[in-house]
């Protein structure tokens, strides 16, 4: 039983690390999307690169950077 708890603890820690990295990458992607739009890229171009739906792209554009939350 203790072995299972140790393994569970390791899995949770690994997931936490992956989740934090994912959140960091999403913030960076959102920043780059906003920069690309300011630089003249179209929604269609950005959708082609990111694979985001129109709704997903809208959410990414409007999501506030962490420091502004």
């Amino acid at each position: 039983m203790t072995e299972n708890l140790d393994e569970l603890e390791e899995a949770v820690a690994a997931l936490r690390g992956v989740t934090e990295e994912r959140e960091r990458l999403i913030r960076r992607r959102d920043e780059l999307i906003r920069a690309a739009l300011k630089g003249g890229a179209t929604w269609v171009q950005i959708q082609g690169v990111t694979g985001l739906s129109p709704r997903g792209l809208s959410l990414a554009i409007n999501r506030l950077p962490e420091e502004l939350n």
Side-chain angles (χ1 to χ4, degrees), residues 4 8 14 16-17 20-21 25 29 35 43 47 51 55 57 64-65 67-68:
N4 291 336
L8 176 60
R16 189 174 300 118
E20 290 167 358
E21 176 69 5
L25 289 169
R29 181 206 60 198
W43 276 52
Q47 282 180 272
R55 173 81 174 133
L57 184 53
L64 290 176
E67 61 272 5
L68 297 178

Side-chain angles (χ1 to χ4, degrees), residues 19-66:
T19 300
E20 290 167 358
E21 176 69 5
R22 180 181 180 274
E23 290 170 355
R24 186 189 67 74
L25 289 169
I26 289 171
R27 284 192 305 271
R28 180 66 179 140
R29 181 206 60 198
D30 293 352
E31 291 170 3
L32 291 169
I33 287 171
R34 287 188 291 273
L37 285 169
K38 287 179 184 175
T42 67
W43 276 52
V44 172
Q45 290 172 316
I46 294 171
Q47 282 180 272
V49 170
T50 63
L52 291 173
S53 67
R55 173 81 174 133
L57 184 53
S58 176
L59 290 171
I61 292 166
N62 292 307
R63 194 176 355 258
L64 290 176
E66 188 175 83

